[in-house]
Amino acid sequence: MKEDNFYSGLKKPKKSTGGESLGEKYYDIILKAPVILFSTLIIFIILNYQKIWEFIGNDVSDGRLFILLCVITVFAAWRAHQSICLAKIDYYSIKEHWRDLLTFIAVVVFLSFSLLFGLYHKIIFLCAIYTIISLLVTINFWDLFLIRFEKQKDQLDYICEKRIQFFNVIVSSILTVLFFLTTILKARNIDAIWVYVTLAAIICVLLVLNILHSHELTYMPKFILWNNKEDDNNNSDFKKLRIGRMSKNKKDIDKIVDTIIKEFKYIFEYIFDTSDEIILKRTLRRLVTSSFGFGFLGYMNFYSIKKSDNDTEEKIDENATEVGLIKINTLHRSLIYKFLEFIYLPITIIVIIYQFGIKKLPKIYKRSKEIIDSQPKLQNKTEFELTYFVIYEEFRNNKYGICAMNLLVNALFHSKTNNINCSRLVLITRESNATFLALVKKIGLKQYRIEEDVKEPQEIIEKQGKGIFFQYSVNND
């Protein structure tokens, strides 16, 4: 087995094809340049601090606005530096464009703080320049969101990156408007300090939210997995597969809900105490789409398994045939989406009450907690749980299951190109699922017992058998 045939996360290419990438040309330079410029800035402040201090003291209106701009610049510089660091992780292989040069120059100059202290006595020009920089950044984000991501989908966790950039374009667009409004107010000599304080506060809050959102979603594990058949491998059982995140479109949501009901209906029949598929599907759809797909059962945790119709193709097209899906749970949770999930909780409860009645609510809560407590427990962020693994019925008995499990295990534990830190993969399967039991044993997962006494619902044990825990770890051998 060639280790780089099994690929997880986002890797740095050894060399780009079809032109230089941003990673090869800009990121390292831009992260070093501000250090030199910032050193120059320190010298400038030391030599001119008295003039700056006198300006703040003598010109009360402009002095206060200058202080507010200093505060904004600290948060904006933090966001600008973070943006470059995170882009170096996720967008290393994105092909360069001439507009990048303008954006990177603007960011380097901004990170040097030279504008802030070079134009301290010309506040209106400083506000105007900040507006222009914000506009350039906004154009760059829109360009990524609408155009450039579409051209390199296979190099990205496309669904997750689109979410990051959507948030970026909204925030940067609002910031551009706010900077422009500040410039207009200053040009009209409006000196109401409370107006500028309010605008500055909104700008700083948006920047902090942007920082938090980008950090959380960038460092969330991104499973982009595919395998390649080795030249000397004549095994007819080999299946070329790609595992990638499912989207929020209606087709994928319906596929997730229909598959859960078809394969794991017994769990939700127990929780909601009904076998009515229409009601179960309505409820599951609400859970799958909660918190913009980042809820407990959210679609952002589901991945499709697609097959190549031609093993000689280098890439598996996004429209390739889906043969199955998986759901992977981790302890990586976004605080923003966790908060949104809490905000939407009353709506979810209302939906459940509407479907099942308020009297059943305590029973539903009790049973759902029983199911959650009977699942494998993750101890840290390097442990992952394979919650659902399904090969669709029409593709079974064709080696797709074993190839997909091999791909997942090899990508996480035996690949030099993997940048996801996974120390342990756990799952639970039922005694009645003989096919999957044989599969996980063949792949090399080992059965284990958890220390605490797990009390499974007797009703599920009678129908499906006891749950059996399996794991694969870095010390599996």
Side-chain angles (χ1 to χ4, degrees):
M1 179 189 71
K2 293 182 180 179
E3 291 182 324
D4 60 357
N5 277 353
F6 299 91
Y7 164 67
S8 160
L10 300 167
K11 63 180 179 180
K12 296 180 180 180
K14 295 178 181 178
K15 61 180 180 178
S16 63
T17 57
E20 287 186 292
S21 70
L22 290 179
E24 294 170 320
K25 193 161 186 177
Y26 291 114
Y27 293 130
D28 290 334
I29 297 174
I30 198 174
L31 291 174
K32 293 175 183 177
V35 176
I36 300 173
L37 294 172
F38 189 73
S39 301
T40 306
L41 171 65
I42 297 299
I43 297 173
F44 175 83
I45 295 176
I46 292 174
L47 295 176
N48 296 276
Y49 78 93
Q50 189 170 355
K51 292 181 181 179
I52 297 174
W53 185 256
E54 289 176 357
F55 165 75
I56 295 174
N58 296 333
D59 194 331
V60 177
S61 176
D62 282 2
R64 290 176 177 176
L65 186 51
F66 175 74
I67 292 174
L68 289 175
L69 286 174
C70 287
V71 175
I72 291 173
T73 303
V74 170
F75 284 96
W78 179 13
R79 170 57 187 148
H81 186 269
Q82 181 215 37
S83 181
I84 299 301
C85 291
L86 298 184
K88 185 179 179 182
I89 296 173
D90 278 359
Y91 309 147
Y92 190 93
S93 60
I94 292 288
K95 299 299 183 292
E96 66 166 316
H97 191 278
W98 65 267
R99 289 191 300 273
D100 295 320
L101 182 59
L102 294 177
T103 303
F104 282 110
I105 289 175
V107 171
V108 168
V109 173
F110 184 80
L111 286 176
S112 71
F113 287 71
S114 58
L115 284 175
L116 182 65
F117 290 97
L119 296 173
Y120 68 90
H121 56 296
K122 295 182 179 180
I123 297 298
I124 188 170
F125 289 107
L126 191 58
C127 291
I129 293 173
Y130 274 30
T131 304
I132 294 172
I133 291 176
S134 182
L135 179 61
L136 285 173
V137 171
T138 301
I139 292 172
N140 181 63
F141 283 145
W142 277 109
D143 183 35
L144 286 170
F145 180 71
L146 295 176
I147 301 173
R148 299 171 76 176
F149 279 179
E150 301 297 323
K151 296 178 180 179
Q152 292 185 259
K153 286 185 177 181
D154 60 307
Q155 298 292 332
L156 306 164
D157 183 355
Y158 178 74
I159 306 301
C160 190
E161 297 304 338
K162 289 283 280 189
R163 180 67 57 83
I164 293 173
Q165 290 305 322
F166 178 74
F167 198 90
N168 286 345
V169 297
I170 296 301
V171 169
S172 61
S173 297
I174 296 174
L175 290 179
T176 302
V177 172
L178 293 176
F179 279 125
F180 180 72
L181 181 58
T182 303
T183 305
I184 295 299
L185 291 174
K186 186 58 188 172
R188 292 179 174 272
N189 294 317
I190 297 176
D191 294 328
I193 189 62
W194 67 269
V195 174
Y196 296 114
V197 170
T198 301
L199 291 173
I202 296 172
I203 290 172
C204 290
V205 169
L206 287 173
L207 287 169
V208 170
L209 288 175
N210 203 185
I211 289 167
L212 185 62
H213 185 268
S214 292
H215 181 273
E216 290 179 336
L217 265 61
T218 297
Y219 284 99
M220 183 174 292
K222 296 177 172 66
F223 298 93
I224 307 174
L225 319 178
W226 64 77
N227 55 5
N228 292 318
K229 190 174 183 179
E230 297 182 18
D231 294 335
D232 57 351
N233 188 342
N234 296 316
N235 186 356
S236 60
D237 292 335
F238 174 84
K239 304 294 181 183
K240 188 172 183 179
L241 302 175
R242 185 184 194 275
I243 298 176
R245 200 184 301 271
M246 299 186 80
S247 70
K248 64 177 181 179
N249 63 49
K250 185 179 184 301
K251 179 183 176 182
D252 279 354
I253 297 299
D254 288 343
K255 176 68 78 172
I256 291 170
V257 172
D258 290 344
T259 301
I260 291 176
I261 291 296
K262 185 175 182 179
E263 304 295 336
F264 306 99
K265 184 180 178 182
Y266 64 91
I267 294 177
F268 298 95
E269 280 182 331
Y270 175 75
I271 293 175
F272 296 110
D273 194 23
T274 181
S275 59
D276 190 322
E277 286 194 9
I278 295 177
I279 293 178
L280 288 176
K281 285 184 178 181
R282 285 178 190 160
T283 307
L284 283 176
R285 173 173 283 276
R286 177 64 201 173
L287 296 175
V288 168
T289 57
S290 69
S291 190
F292 297 94
F294 281 103
F296 179 75
L297 203 64
Y299 62 80
M300 292 295 285
N301 299 313
F302 283 85
Y303 298 82
S304 63
I305 305 171
K306 294 183 177 182
K307 74 180 183 73
S308 171
D309 296 322
N310 184 352
D311 284 347
T312 63
E313 295 176 354
E314 291 186 6
K315 300 176 182 178
I316 299 178
D317 188 81
E318 62 175 346
N319 296 317
T321 305
E322 288 188 24
V323 299
L325 65 76
I326 62 174
K327 179 176 182 286
I328 300 177
N329 276 357
T330 77
L331 292 181
H332 292 263
R333 299 295 303 277
S334 166
L335 291 177
I336 292 176
Y337 290 104
K338 193 173 182 180
F339 176 75
L340 289 174
E341 187 176 17
F342 176 76
I343 295 296
Y344 280 106
L345 182 61
I347 299 176
T348 303
I349 292 175
I350 291 172
V351 171
I352 293 175
I353 291 174
Y354 177 77
Q355 297 292 337
F356 304 100
I358 193 169
K359 291 183 179 179
K360 279 192 174 182
L361 195 59
K363 186 176 183 180
I364 290 172
Y365 173 76
K366 177 177 178 293
R367 290 188 167 193
S368 62
K369 192 173 185 305
E370 287 177 357
I371 294 296
I372 293 173
D373 290 342
S374 67
Q375 301 301 301
K377 301 298 186 295
L378 301 179
Q379 303 299 322
N380 55 63
K381 288 186 176 181
T382 67
E383 295 186 353
F384 300 156
E385 178 191 3
L386 183 59
T387 312
Y388 297 136
F389 180 93
V390 177
I391 299 297
Y392 302 140
E393 191 170 1
E394 62 268 33
F395 298 104
R396 290 173 186 170
N397 301 315
N398 287 297
K399 306 296 181 179
Y400 288 114
I402 192 167
C403 287
M405 280 297 293
N406 260 325
L407 172 55
L408 181 62
V409 169
N410 282 310
L412 293 180
F413 296 98
H414 305 295
S415 173
K416 291 179 180 178
T417 61
N418 170 27
N419 65 2
I420 295 178
N421 183 15
C422 178
S423 64
R424 182 169 173 254
L425 178 68
V426 298
L427 60 86
I428 181 174
T429 188
R430 296 284 163 187
E431 288 177 325
S432 61
N433 195 346
T435 302
F436 192 65
L437 278 170
L439 172 61
V440 294
K441 290 177 180 179
K442 188 172 183 178
I443 295 299
L445 276 76
K446 297 181 179 179
Q447 186 175 340
Y448 74 99
R449 296 178 62 87
I450 57 177
E451 295 179 0
E452 62 269 24
D453 184 25
V454 176
K455 296 181 180 179
E456 296 183 280
Q458 188 62 35
E459 186 176 323
I460 290 182
I461 292 177
E462 291 174 357
K463 290 182 178 180
Q464 301 292 328
K466 291 183 179 180
I468 304 175
F469 296 88
F470 286 89
Q471 68 177 354
Y472 197 103
S473 66
V474 290
N475 299 316
N476 207 62
D477 296 333

